[in-house]
Amino acid sequence: MRLPPFNPYLAVIIGVISVSTSAVLVKLADQAPAPIIAYYRLLFAVLLMSPLIIAKYRHEFKLVEKKDWIFSIFAGIFLACHFILWFESLNYTSVTSSVVLVTLQPIFAFLGTFLFFKERFTFGAVISMIIALFGSVIISWGDFQISGAALFGDILAILGAITMTVYFLLGQKVRKRLSLMTYTFIVYGFSTITLLIYNLIQQHPFTGYPPNYWGIFLALAIVPTFFGHTLFNWALRWLSTATVSMGIVFEPVGASILAYFFLGETITWAQWLGGTIVIFGLFLFILSTSRKRKVTISRKREI
């Protein structure tokens, strides 16, 4: 019996810090169109994944069924829509408001499973959703007092959370038949193609950006993608989904702190109050919807 290569709780902490950088990095490249930022984030991620896919996972593509390709294509399209909407929201509203509202995604996911997979609501889930949504109303109301543009940014962030939910729902069954790496590579690939077509239609320039922007695009592909989401998925081997999800809820906190130091963004009273209520509601939601089971760390060594 062997222990994990490193503490999975530490992996979650590193993951939270990593995904917290995403919104700040997008803001630092605010002169580039949001769809271009999304395009290069996914393009670089696909290019970085390619050697590993070719070396270890290429045989899995023969196992992909026609319906899996269809679901993966649509998942890629909705992932592209998520990035466009969320990155665009950061042009109108603050990092704090945008990230908090995007973090509502678990609630939309549960609503989606209720509508399409007939999962039942518990009383605790309903109460926690109402609390979290109430917090989002406070944030949006506070932003509206600042400007209509900030409220528009909040709406884009909420739409970004909804499109992310559709992306997850489309990939739910496909992920059961394919490895994480293969599925992610396929979806990222179709999402990159979607963003390429969208940028061509919108006639956004693909070149001509400052040298540091290319570093930002690459950082987006590496830090929040691989050191963020990949570590979360690795931690799920050792920890419960509820434990990892609770860690992810702290992303708005990390993003707000980074935005304060790197962008000089301050947090309004509405964002403090609404954000706290949203995070509290999400904690309750995760606790009320997670299955009651003991969280253990396997002693079998895995990488």
Side-chain angles (χ1 to χ4, degrees):
M1 301 294 284
R2 293 174 292 179
L3 293 170
F6 59 93
N7 193 316
Y9 290 101
L10 178 60
V12 172
I13 293 172
I14 295 173
V16 171
I17 296 172
S18 298
V19 297
S20 298
T21 65
S22 184
V24 174
L25 288 169
V26 172
K27 278 272 194 178
L28 289 173
D30 59 354
Q31 297 303 309
I36 285 290
I37 301 174
Y39 169 72
Y40 280 117
R41 171 178 177 167
L42 288 172
L43 175 64
F44 288 155
V46 168
L47 293 176
L48 290 170
M49 292 173 68
S50 294
L52 181 61
I53 291 293
I54 294 171
K56 294 187 63 176
Y57 296 93
R58 63 179 184 274
H59 65 280
E60 290 192 11
F61 288 86
K62 299 177 182 178
L63 306 176
V64 184
E65 300 176 2
K66 181 179 179 181
K67 61 181 179 181
D68 292 337
W69 284 112
I70 294 173
F71 277 102
S72 297
I73 289 171
F74 280 102
I77 292 171
F78 276 95
L79 179 61
C81 292
H82 160 73
F83 280 127
I84 292 172
L85 290 165
W86 180 37
F87 288 2
E88 195 67 58
S89 77
L90 291 164
N91 290 324
Y92 297 94
T93 192
S94 67
V95 166
T96 298
S97 293
S98 180
V99 177
V100 168
L101 294 173
V102 165
T103 308
L104 288 171
Q105 183 272 323
I107 290 179
F108 292 119
F110 198 77
L111 289 170
T113 56
F114 170 75
L115 292 173
F116 297 105
F117 301 107
K118 307 302 180 184
E119 288 196 15
R120 292 185 176 183
F121 286 103
T122 63
F123 178 74
V126 174
I127 295 300
S128 58
M129 282 191 289
I130 292 173
I131 292 173
L133 293 173
F134 177 67
S136 69
V137 170
I138 292 176
I139 292 173
S140 298
W141 182 81
D143 285 348
F144 180 68
Q145 303 303 306
I146 299 173
S147 71
L151 177 61
F152 178 65
D154 293 348
I155 293 172
L156 290 176
I158 292 173
L159 291 174
I162 293 173
T163 49
M164 175 59 85
T165 299
V166 178
Y167 155 67
F168 280 132
L169 292 175
L170 285 168
Q172 189 168 295
K173 290 186 177 180
V174 181
R175 272 287 291 113
K176 295 178 181 179
R177 293 186 287 270
L178 299 176
S179 68
L180 174 66
M181 285 295 294
T182 300
Y183 171 71
T184 301
F185 183 78
I186 292 173
V187 172
Y188 281 10
F190 284 118
S191 190
T192 302
I193 293 170
T194 302
L195 288 164
L196 173 63
I197 295 171
Y198 182 84
N199 281 302
L200 288 172
I201 293 173
Q202 294 294 317
Q203 297 183 339
H204 291 145
F206 288 88
T207 58
Y209 300 105
N212 65 305
Y213 274 37
W214 298 101
I216 292 172
F217 298 155
L218 184 59
L220 278 166
I222 295 174
V223 181
T225 304
F226 296 124
F227 286 98
H229 297 291
T230 300
L231 280 180
F232 289 145
N233 284 306
W234 177 86
L236 284 170
R237 295 184 180 184
W238 313 95
L239 304 176
S240 69
T241 301
T243 301
V244 176
S245 297
M246 285 182 182
I248 297 173
V249 167
F250 282 103
E251 179 186 352
V253 178
S256 299
I257 293 172
L258 291 174
Y260 174 79
F261 284 105
F262 290 97
L263 303 174
E265 287 191 2
T266 56
I267 304 176
T268 66
W269 70 266
Q271 291 169 341
W272 272 112
L273 178 60
T276 302
I277 292 173
V278 168
I279 291 174
F280 176 69
L282 287 171
F283 268 123
L284 291 180
F285 177 77
I286 292 167
L287 288 172
S288 63
T289 55
S290 61
R291 295 180 179 178
K292 304 298 182 183
R293 68 181 181 87
K294 185 179 179 182
V295 179
T296 59
I297 300 177
S298 170
R299 288 183 175 276
K300 181 180 179 182
R301 185 179 183 88
E302 294 189 38
I303 297 178

